[in-house]
Amino acid sequence: MWRNTSSGWGLVSILLHWLSALAIIALFVLGWWMTGLGYYDSWYNLAPWWHKSVGMLVLFATLARLAWRAVQPTPTAAGTRLERALAHLGHIALYVLMLVVLVSGYLISTADGAGISVFGAFEVPALISHLPDQATVAGTLHWYSALALMLIAAGHALAALKHHWIDRHDVLWRMIDPTRSRRPFGRSTSPTNQGDA
């Protein structure tokens, strides 16, 4: 159940997917909320500390997820050829935007040369700092790429629901139940189209 198969996702991929999704949504909400905090607000320093700490953990999880995906088979995709092509492009966009958001966040925090404390347990060093307008440029990139990520993620979720409720494919169940990776791929009641993810 840990590994992917051509029929479904393994437990490692499923856990990384849902934990990353929840963390990224929480980071977006927290990031939006904390921009309105005043200097004397009790969360003025605490909210960015949480944001940076979780952000670094999500960056590590994303790199691990990409490494795992590189050595694991990708389950067969559902839908028409156009839907499979759009799904492939959508997944690429999601990963690129995740990396842009996370790396730009890192660059904001390390602009002055200080590392990032991750919940006080360890520090991520400032490998890149003191670039011209680093914090400003990275901040702009961070915000707009985060908005784009939320929009693409919403489209991704809607596509999964469309496959589940309209097409009756088991795409959504495969990302919930790792035992699906041991079953034949397709609709819950009849065969479906197959193709590359």
Side-chain angles (χ1 to χ4, degrees), residues 92-157:
I92 292 174
L94 283 170
Y95 280 113
V96 169
L97 285 169
M98 280 192 289
L99 290 173
V100 171
V101 170
L102 296 165
V103 171
S104 61
Y106 167 82
L107 292 174
I108 295 169
S109 300
T110 60
D112 61 357
I116 301 173
S117 172
V118 179
F119 294 116
F122 62 93
E123 183 174 288
V124 179
L127 301 176
I128 302 173
S129 61
H130 302 296
L131 297 177
D133 297 319
Q134 178 173 326
T136 302
V137 173
T140 300
L141 185 60
H142 189 66
W143 173 243
Y144 287 107
S145 59
L147 286 174
L149 177 59
M150 290 297 104
L151 290 174
I152 298 293
H156 175 70

Side-chain angles (χ1 to χ4, degrees), residues 1-193:
M1 291 202 310
W2 293 96
R3 295 177 176 273
N4 300 344
T5 71
S6 61
S7 301
W9 302 101
L11 189 56
V12 172
S13 294
I14 290 173
L15 288 174
L16 286 172
H17 173 273
W18 290 113
L19 289 173
S20 296
L22 291 173
I24 287 170
I25 292 170
L27 285 170
F28 182 79
V29 173
L30 177 60
W32 194 322
W33 174 71
M34 72 186 192
T35 57
L37 294 175
Y39 181 78
Y40 294 104
D41 194 291
S42 60
W43 278 87
Y44 184 79
N45 291 310
L46 188 58
W49 182 77
W50 273 90
H51 192 79
K52 294 174 189 179
S53 294
V54 175
M56 286 298 95
L57 293 179
V58 174
L59 176 57
F60 299 147
T62 301
L63 295 175
R65 190 173 170 186
L66 287 169
W68 182 253
R69 189 180 178 98
V71 299
Q72 289 290 300
T74 299
T76 307
T80 65
R81 181 174 296 181
L82 176 60
E83 286 176 323
R84 295 196 301 270
L86 290 174
H88 181 68
L89 292 174
H91 279 98
I92 292 174
L94 283 170
Y95 280 113
V96 169
L97 285 169
M98 280 192 289
L99 290 173
V100 171
V101 170
L102 296 165
V103 171
S104 61
Y106 167 82
L107 292 174
I108 295 169
S109 300
T110 60
D112 61 357
I116 301 173
S117 172
V118 179
F119 294 116
F122 62 93
E123 183 174 288
V124 179
L127 301 176
I128 302 173
S129 61
H130 302 296
L131 297 177
D133 297 319
Q134 178 173 326
T136 302
V137 173
T140 300
L141 185 60
H142 189 66
W143 173 243
Y144 287 107
S145 59
L147 286 174
L149 177 59
M150 290 297 104
L151 290 174
I152 298 293
H156 175 70
L158 289 174
L161 292 174
K162 183 258 186 188
H163 279 294
H164 183 76
W165 293 109
I166 298 176
D167 300 328
R168 308 298 293 176
H169 294 154
D170 62 357
V171 171
L172 183 58
W173 276 113
R174 290 190 300 170
M175 190 47 81
I176 296 172
D177 180 5
T179 64
R180 293 268 171 168
S181 66
R182 305 297 181 261
R183 304 176 191 174
F185 170 78
R187 295 176 184 259
S188 57
T189 56
S190 61
T192 189
N193 294 328

